[in-house]
Amino acid sequence: MERTVIDNKENLIGYSREELRRLFQEWGEPAFRGDQVYKWLYNKGAVSFDEMSNLPKTLREQLAAHFRLGALTLIAREVSADGTEKYLWELRDGHRMESVLIPEERRTTLCISSQVGCALACAFCATGKMGFLRHLTTGEIVEQVLAAQRLSDHTITNVVFMGMGEPFLNYNRVIQAARILGDPEGLAIANRRITISTSGIVPAIRRFARDKEPYGLAISLHSPFQHIRQQIMPIAETFDLRDLLDSAREYVSQWRHKRITFEYVLLKGVNDRPEDARELIRLLSPLRAKLNLIPYNDCDLGFEAPDDARLNRFLEPLMRAPFTVTVRKNRGNDISAACGQLYVKVMKNERTPRSRKKSVDKIIPLK
Ligand code: SF4
């Protein structure tokens, strides 16, 4: 496992139960100490070694001498009128990434990042414009949930890997993080409430299916036509639509009931025509699928959301679709809630002294 080591102390967050057991055995201690520390880290959310009251003091001191607890510093927090919260974190090496918390009536979802930046350069995405900077470690992924839970009054019930980055290009760390999130002795979020969202990395979808990972799978489709998908998602040139749908079929065939969610950002004049809707029905009907339509959250990238008339024309054929279709309410419209937007905004403000005052008005400054 890759570690974050900046100040000669390794981050203990991100260690699996087995790794903790091994660590204590190497120190000549019984393996159950690893189980105890695992619970402190993830189940009880300890922020200091002193809290670990069932460990001998000498062992707590030994841990504190070698490890730190956490690698994230909150740089900015925006709270929307609808309750959506966005966090911008700084990592130990100065890189930054984001998470978004979405409270709803019956659940609270945290959307987390898996990379700093993203190499996939989707045309409508602010993160795509940053390029790829680095993968997040398992600890940096898990800590987004621990830290957001400490900051928010809402209990996080769902986690989606839909923030910055393509999670399936950081496969092993993402899966290790999901194990810790889903472990009843870890963060105890039900596996079915953890969803990994990919832009369509076909070999990774096949591996995810073969390994019968118990987490939900979402695929960003954004167009039912290869030539349009290719224009807005360059990754579609590498993994074409036919292969993508084949891999989706492989996933659903592994399970009796699981469905795949297809995410579809509605872009005016690009993918919101009635013929797009009809083709979606043709492609998705043979699968156990759910279609989640997301009106575009404007990022100044030359795209806009369809108006109501266009949206209704698009939705009309979908009324007869044999699968569930949902239209996501646009959350956090008054803050920078689309992926990569808060990062871009803070970076711009830091680079442009004239706009600094505006950023202080909008972004809740932290101690
Ligand atoms: S939409 Fe997702 S995969 Fe595409 S560039 Fe943005 S972060 Fe990367």
mmCIF file of all heavy atoms in Angstrom, residues 114-115 117-131 161-167 169 197-201 220 222 232-235 265 339-340, ligand 1:
data_model
loop_
_atom_site.group_PDB
_atom_site.id
_atom_site.type_symbol
_atom_site.label_atom_id
_atom_site.label_comp_id
_atom_site.label_asym_id
_atom_site.label_seq_id
_atom_site.Cartn_x
_atom_site.Cartn_y
_atom_site.Cartn_z
ATOM 1 N N SER A 114 -11.236 10.679 -5.919
ATOM 2 C CA SER A 114 -10.308 9.545 -5.919
ATOM 3 C C SER A 114 -8.936 9.927 -6.489
ATOM 4 O O SER A 114 -7.977 9.168 -6.374
ATOM 5 C CB SER A 114 -10.890 8.389 -6.739
ATOM 6 O OG SER A 114 -11.206 8.831 -8.045
ATOM 7 N N GLN A 115 -8.871 11.094 -7.141
ATOM 8 C CA GLN A 115 -7.596 11.574 -7.693
ATOM 9 C C GLN A 115 -7.550 13.096 -7.521
ATOM 10 O O GLN A 115 -8.593 13.727 -7.305
ATOM 11 C CB GLN A 115 -7.521 11.269 -9.191
ATOM 12 C CG GLN A 115 -7.561 9.787 -9.535
ATOM 13 C CD GLN A 115 -7.508 9.536 -11.036
ATOM 14 O OE1 GLN A 115 -8.179 10.207 -11.818
ATOM 15 N NE2 GLN A 115 -6.698 8.562 -11.426
ATOM 16 N N GLY A 117 -7.245 16.168 -9.690
ATOM 17 C CA GLY A 117 -7.358 16.398 -11.126
ATOM 18 C C GLY A 117 -7.838 15.129 -11.808
ATOM 19 O O GLY A 117 -8.230 14.163 -11.158
ATOM 20 N N CYS A 118 -7.816 15.139 -13.121
ATOM 21 C CA CYS A 118 -8.271 13.956 -13.862
ATOM 22 C C CYS A 118 -7.688 14.010 -15.272
ATOM 23 O O CYS A 118 -7.636 15.072 -15.893
ATOM 24 C CB CYS A 118 -9.791 13.926 -13.932
ATOM 25 S SG CYS A 118 -10.427 12.459 -14.766
ATOM 26 N N ALA A 119 -7.277 12.831 -15.746
ATOM 27 C CA ALA A 119 -6.653 12.773 -17.070
ATOM 28 C C ALA A 119 -7.683 12.668 -18.191
ATOM 29 O O ALA A 119 -7.334 12.779 -19.367
ATOM 30 C CB ALA A 119 -5.723 11.563 -17.123
ATOM 31 N N LEU A 120 -8.945 12.449 -17.862
ATOM 32 C CA LEU A 120 -9.888 12.051 -18.911
ATOM 33 C C LEU A 120 -10.492 13.202 -19.717
ATOM 34 O O LEU A 120 -11.088 12.992 -20.762
ATOM 35 C CB LEU A 120 -11.000 11.161 -18.333
ATOM 36 C CG LEU A 120 -10.521 9.848 -17.713
ATOM 37 C CD1 LEU A 120 -11.681 8.896 -17.521
ATOM 38 C CD2 LEU A 120 -9.440 9.162 -18.525
ATOM 39 N N ALA A 121 -10.343 14.412 -19.205
ATOM 40 C CA ALA A 121 -10.652 15.620 -19.995
ATOM 41 C C ALA A 121 -12.036 15.628 -20.640
ATOM 42 O O ALA A 121 -12.172 16.010 -21.809
ATOM 43 C CB ALA A 121 -9.567 15.818 -21.069
ATOM 44 N N CYS A 122 -13.058 15.238 -19.892
ATOM 45 C CA CYS A 122 -14.420 15.364 -20.428
ATOM 46 C C CYS A 122 -14.687 16.850 -20.688
ATOM 47 O O CYS A 122 -14.339 17.706 -19.874
ATOM 48 C CB CYS A 122 -15.448 14.798 -19.443
ATOM 49 S SG CYS A 122 -15.178 13.046 -19.109
ATOM 50 N N ALA A 123 -15.321 17.130 -21.821
ATOM 51 C CA ALA A 123 -15.397 18.522 -22.297
ATOM 52 C C ALA A 123 -16.211 19.428 -21.377
ATOM 53 O O ALA A 123 -16.001 20.637 -21.359
ATOM 54 C CB ALA A 123 -16.014 18.530 -23.695
ATOM 55 N N PHE A 124 -17.144 18.850 -20.601
ATOM 56 C CA PHE A 124 -18.071 19.652 -19.797
ATOM 57 C C PHE A 124 -17.634 19.755 -18.340
ATOM 58 O O PHE A 124 -18.371 20.242 -17.491
ATOM 59 C CB PHE A 124 -19.467 19.008 -19.847
ATOM 60 C CG PHE A 124 -19.415 17.527 -19.565
ATOM 61 C CD1 PHE A 124 -19.396 17.061 -18.275
ATOM 62 C CD2 PHE A 124 -19.322 16.609 -20.608
ATOM 63 C CE1 PHE A 124 -19.289 15.708 -18.011
ATOM 64 C CE2 PHE A 124 -19.226 15.242 -20.353
ATOM 65 C CZ PHE A 124 -19.210 14.796 -19.049
ATOM 66 N N CYS A 125 -16.418 19.270 -18.002
ATOM 67 C CA CYS A 125 -16.041 19.091 -16.595
ATOM 68 C C CYS A 125 -14.883 20.008 -16.189
ATOM 69 O O CYS A 125 -13.842 20.026 -16.851
ATOM 70 C CB CYS A 125 -15.657 17.630 -16.375
ATOM 71 S SG CYS A 125 -14.928 17.324 -14.769
ATOM 72 N N ALA A 126 -15.075 20.732 -15.085
ATOM 73 C CA ALA A 126 -14.033 21.656 -14.594
ATOM 74 C C ALA A 126 -12.781 20.885 -14.165
ATOM 75 O O ALA A 126 -11.654 21.322 -14.411
ATOM 76 C CB ALA A 126 -14.582 22.481 -13.438
ATOM 77 N N THR A 127 -12.961 19.716 -13.543
ATOM 78 C CA THR A 127 -11.790 18.928 -13.119
ATOM 79 C C THR A 127 -10.967 18.484 -14.325
ATOM 80 O O THR A 127 -9.731 18.482 -14.287
ATOM 81 C CB THR A 127 -12.232 17.668 -12.337
ATOM 82 O OG1 THR A 127 -12.989 18.092 -11.207
ATOM 83 C CG2 THR A 127 -11.055 16.851 -11.867
ATOM 84 N N GLY A 128 -11.670 18.129 -15.397
ATOM 85 C CA GLY A 128 -10.982 17.686 -16.609
ATOM 86 C C GLY A 128 -10.011 18.740 -17.129
ATOM 87 O O GLY A 128 -8.987 18.407 -17.737
ATOM 88 N N LYS A 129 -10.315 20.001 -16.887
ATOM 89 C CA LYS A 129 -9.444 21.089 -17.370
ATOM 90 C C LYS A 129 -8.137 21.162 -16.583
ATOM 91 O O LYS A 129 -7.158 21.754 -17.022
ATOM 92 C CB LYS A 129 -10.159 22.457 -17.257
ATOM 93 C CG LYS A 129 -11.416 22.564 -18.083
ATOM 94 C CD LYS A 129 -11.111 22.601 -19.580
ATOM 95 C CE LYS A 129 -12.351 22.316 -20.391
ATOM 96 N NZ LYS A 129 -12.226 21.438 -21.512
ATOM 97 N N MET A 130 -8.139 20.598 -15.359
ATOM 98 C CA MET A 130 -6.927 20.664 -14.530
ATOM 99 C C MET A 130 -5.848 19.699 -14.990
ATOM 100 O O MET A 130 -4.683 19.840 -14.639
ATOM 101 C CB MET A 130 -7.261 20.258 -13.080
ATOM 102 C CG MET A 130 -8.150 21.217 -12.337
ATOM 103 S SD MET A 130 -8.844 20.417 -10.847
ATOM 104 C CE MET A 130 -7.366 19.827 -10.025
ATOM 105 N N GLY A 131 -6.260 18.656 -15.715
ATOM 106 C CA GLY A 131 -5.330 17.573 -16.030
ATOM 107 C C GLY A 131 -5.144 16.697 -14.799
ATOM 108 O O GLY A 131 -5.699 16.983 -13.725
ATOM 109 N N PHE A 161 -18.294 7.595 -5.270
ATOM 110 C CA PHE A 161 -16.999 7.995 -5.822
ATOM 111 C C PHE A 161 -17.285 8.726 -7.123
ATOM 112 O O PHE A 161 -17.236 8.153 -8.212
ATOM 113 C CB PHE A 161 -16.124 6.767 -6.092
ATOM 114 C CG PHE A 161 -15.558 6.122 -4.848
ATOM 115 C CD1 PHE A 161 -16.329 5.277 -4.079
ATOM 116 C CD2 PHE A 161 -14.255 6.367 -4.457
ATOM 117 C CE1 PHE A 161 -15.814 4.679 -2.936
ATOM 118 C CE2 PHE A 161 -13.728 5.773 -3.315
ATOM 119 C CZ PHE A 161 -14.503 4.928 -2.554
ATOM 120 N N MET A 162 -17.641 10.000 -6.988
ATOM 121 C CA MET A 162 -18.070 10.747 -8.162
ATOM 122 C C MET A 162 -17.491 12.158 -8.118
ATOM 123 O O MET A 162 -17.953 13.056 -8.806
ATOM 124 C CB MET A 162 -19.604 10.801 -8.183
ATOM 125 C CG MET A 162 -20.213 10.860 -9.550
ATOM 126 S SD MET A 162 -22.003 10.997 -9.449
ATOM 127 C CE MET A 162 -22.522 9.314 -9.290
ATOM 128 N N GLY A 163 -16.505 12.355 -7.242
ATOM 129 C CA GLY A 163 -15.868 13.666 -7.152
ATOM 130 C C GLY A 163 -14.756 13.774 -8.185
ATOM 131 O O GLY A 163 -14.878 13.259 -9.305
ATOM 132 N N MET A 164 -13.662 14.416 -7.812
ATOM 133 C CA MET A 164 -12.549 14.559 -8.764
ATOM 134 C C MET A 164 -11.943 13.211 -9.117
ATOM 135 O O MET A 164 -11.701 12.387 -8.225
ATOM 136 C CB MET A 164 -11.435 15.373 -8.115
ATOM 137 C CG MET A 164 -11.626 16.835 -8.165
ATOM 138 S SD MET A 164 -10.110 17.575 -7.515
ATOM 139 C CE MET A 164 -10.460 19.258 -7.860
ATOM 140 N N GLY A 165 -11.656 13.020 -10.387
ATOM 141 C CA GLY A 165 -10.889 11.850 -10.798
ATOM 142 C C GLY A 165 -11.739 10.701 -11.301
ATOM 143 O O GLY A 165 -12.958 10.673 -11.139
ATOM 144 N N GLU A 166 -11.077 9.746 -11.920
ATOM 145 C CA GLU A 166 -11.710 8.524 -12.409
ATOM 146 C C GLU A 166 -11.320 7.412 -11.433
ATOM 147 O O GLU A 166 -10.172 6.955 -11.423
ATOM 148 C CB GLU A 166 -11.225 8.234 -13.840
ATOM 149 C CG GLU A 166 -11.475 6.826 -14.345
ATOM 150 C CD GLU A 166 -12.925 6.341 -14.220
ATOM 151 O OE1 GLU A 166 -13.832 6.991 -14.755
ATOM 152 O OE2 GLU A 166 -13.134 5.292 -13.567
ATOM 153 N N PRO A 167 -12.263 6.946 -10.595
ATOM 154 C CA PRO A 167 -11.916 5.980 -9.549
ATOM 155 C C PRO A 167 -11.310 4.684 -10.088
ATOM 156 O O PRO A 167 -10.431 4.096 -9.452
ATOM 157 C CB PRO A 167 -13.238 5.716 -8.832
ATOM 158 C CG PRO A 167 -14.291 6.432 -9.571
ATOM 159 C CD PRO A 167 -13.666 7.385 -10.520
ATOM 160 N N LEU A 169 -9.282 4.329 -12.431
ATOM 161 C CA LEU A 169 -7.855 4.452 -12.762
ATOM 162 C C LEU A 169 -7.015 4.477 -11.481
ATOM 163 O O LEU A 169 -5.804 4.611 -11.520
ATOM 164 C CB LEU A 169 -7.610 5.719 -13.597
ATOM 165 C CG LEU A 169 -8.177 5.677 -15.022
ATOM 166 C CD1 LEU A 169 -7.856 6.955 -15.783
ATOM 167 C CD2 LEU A 169 -7.666 4.460 -15.807
ATOM 168 N N SER A 197 -18.432 5.272 -9.428
ATOM 169 C CA SER A 197 -18.933 5.817 -10.688
ATOM 170 C C SER A 197 -17.763 5.975 -11.666
ATOM 171 O O SER A 197 -16.794 6.656 -11.366
ATOM 172 C CB SER A 197 -19.576 7.178 -10.407
ATOM 173 O OG SER A 197 -19.950 7.777 -11.603
ATOM 174 N N THR A 198 -17.899 5.329 -12.799
ATOM 175 C CA THR A 198 -16.809 5.361 -13.779
ATOM 176 C C THR A 198 -17.267 5.977 -15.095
ATOM 177 O O THR A 198 -18.436 5.882 -15.462
ATOM 178 C CB THR A 198 -16.259 3.935 -14.040
ATOM 179 O OG1 THR A 198 -15.261 4.005 -15.058
ATOM 180 C CG2 THR A 198 -17.350 2.965 -14.480
ATOM 181 N N SER A 199 -16.304 6.557 -15.804
ATOM 182 C CA SER A 199 -16.612 7.094 -17.129
ATOM 183 C C SER A 199 -16.585 6.017 -18.198
ATOM 184 O O SER A 199 -16.835 6.298 -19.363
ATOM 185 C CB SER A 199 -15.579 8.144 -17.510
ATOM 186 O OG SER A 199 -15.694 9.173 -16.622
ATOM 187 N N GLY A 200 -16.205 4.809 -17.776
ATOM 188 C CA GLY A 200 -16.249 3.709 -18.745
ATOM 189 C C GLY A 200 -14.887 3.077 -18.996
ATOM 190 O O GLY A 200 -14.487 2.871 -20.152
ATOM 191 N N ILE A 201 -14.157 2.760 -17.916
ATOM 192 C CA ILE A 201 -12.871 2.055 -18.052
ATOM 193 C C ILE A 201 -13.218 0.564 -18.120
ATOM 194 O O ILE A 201 -13.346 -0.122 -17.095
ATOM 195 C CB ILE A 201 -11.943 2.366 -16.840
ATOM 196 C CG1 ILE A 201 -11.844 3.878 -16.581
ATOM 197 C CG2 ILE A 201 -10.559 1.737 -17.039
ATOM 198 C CD1 ILE A 201 -11.208 4.677 -17.695
ATOM 199 N N SER A 220 -21.007 6.664 -16.337
ATOM 200 C CA SER A 220 -21.353 7.949 -16.954
ATOM 201 C C SER A 220 -21.488 7.715 -18.448
ATOM 202 O O SER A 220 -20.506 7.452 -19.136
ATOM 203 C CB SER A 220 -20.233 8.970 -16.691
ATOM 204 O OG SER A 220 -20.147 9.192 -15.316
ATOM 205 N N HIS A 222 -23.789 9.711 -20.830
ATOM 206 C CA HIS A 222 -23.834 11.060 -21.421
ATOM 207 C C HIS A 222 -24.213 11.136 -22.898
ATOM 208 O O HIS A 222 -24.447 12.229 -23.407
ATOM 209 C CB HIS A 222 -22.520 11.835 -21.182
ATOM 210 C CG HIS A 222 -22.131 11.898 -19.741
ATOM 211 N ND1 HIS A 222 -23.047 11.936 -18.712
ATOM 212 C CD2 HIS A 222 -20.915 11.921 -19.130
ATOM 213 C CE1 HIS A 222 -22.408 11.970 -17.555
ATOM 214 N NE2 HIS A 222 -21.125 11.958 -17.777
ATOM 215 N N ILE A 232 -17.516 14.425 -26.453
ATOM 216 C CA ILE A 232 -17.566 15.054 -25.130
ATOM 217 C C ILE A 232 -16.770 14.272 -24.083
ATOM 218 O O ILE A 232 -16.449 14.812 -23.030
ATOM 219 C CB ILE A 232 -19.028 15.265 -24.646
ATOM 220 C CG1 ILE A 232 -19.839 13.968 -24.709
ATOM 221 C CG2 ILE A 232 -19.709 16.368 -25.458
ATOM 222 C CD1 ILE A 232 -21.258 14.092 -24.146
ATOM 223 N N MET A 233 -16.440 13.004 -24.394
ATOM 224 C CA MET A 233 -15.665 12.177 -23.459
ATOM 225 C C MET A 233 -14.562 11.467 -24.241
ATOM 226 O O MET A 233 -14.781 10.388 -24.806
ATOM 227 C CB MET A 233 -16.565 11.108 -22.822
ATOM 228 C CG MET A 233 -17.782 11.659 -22.118
ATOM 229 S SD MET A 233 -18.812 10.327 -21.488
ATOM 230 C CE MET A 233 -17.849 9.765 -20.092
ATOM 231 N N PRO A 234 -13.362 12.033 -24.283
ATOM 232 C CA PRO A 234 -12.296 11.424 -25.091
ATOM 233 C C PRO A 234 -12.006 9.957 -24.749
ATOM 234 O O PRO A 234 -11.561 9.207 -25.612
ATOM 235 C CB PRO A 234 -11.076 12.309 -24.769
ATOM 236 C CG PRO A 234 -11.659 13.615 -24.315
ATOM 237 C CD PRO A 234 -12.967 13.302 -23.672
ATOM 238 N N ILE A 235 -12.325 9.531 -23.511
ATOM 239 C CA ILE A 235 -12.066 8.131 -23.137
ATOM 240 C C ILE A 235 -12.869 7.166 -24.011
ATOM 241 O O ILE A 235 -12.489 6.006 -24.189
ATOM 242 C CB ILE A 235 -12.372 7.899 -21.627
ATOM 243 C CG1 ILE A 235 -11.885 6.521 -21.136
ATOM 244 C CG2 ILE A 235 -13.853 8.036 -21.309
ATOM 245 C CD1 ILE A 235 -10.412 6.337 -21.136
ATOM 246 N N VAL A 265 -25.521 13.499 -17.964
ATOM 247 C CA VAL A 265 -25.571 14.953 -17.782
ATOM 248 C C VAL A 265 -26.236 15.556 -19.009
ATOM 249 O O VAL A 265 -25.794 15.335 -20.142
ATOM 250 C CB VAL A 265 -24.147 15.535 -17.610
ATOM 251 C CG1 VAL A 265 -24.185 17.055 -17.637
ATOM 252 C CG2 VAL A 265 -23.535 15.064 -16.305
ATOM 253 N N CYS A 339 -18.386 19.012 -9.928
ATOM 254 C CA CYS A 339 -17.061 18.487 -9.682
ATOM 255 C C CYS A 339 -15.949 19.424 -10.168
ATOM 256 O O CYS A 339 -15.949 19.868 -11.296
ATOM 257 C CB CYS A 339 -17.038 17.134 -10.377
ATOM 258 S SG CYS A 339 -15.550 16.521 -10.952
ATOM 259 N N GLY A 340 -15.031 19.771 -9.254
ATOM 260 C CA GLY A 340 -13.888 20.604 -9.632
ATOM 261 C C GLY A 340 -14.144 22.092 -9.596
ATOM 262 O O GLY A 340 -13.231 22.886 -9.742
HETATM 263 S S1 SF4 B 1 -16.272 14.029 -15.574
HETATM 264 FE FE1 SF4 B 1 -15.115 12.669 -14.218
HETATM 265 S S2 SF4 B 1 -13.888 11.419 -15.653
HETATM 266 FE FE2 SF4 B 1 -14.579 13.209 -16.831
HETATM 267 S S3 SF4 B 1 -12.890 14.703 -16.627
HETATM 268 FE FE3 SF4 B 1 -14.389 15.112 -14.978
HETATM 269 S S4 SF4 B 1 -13.581 13.983 -13.222
HETATM 270 FE FE4 SF4 B 1 -12.610 13.144 -15.037
#
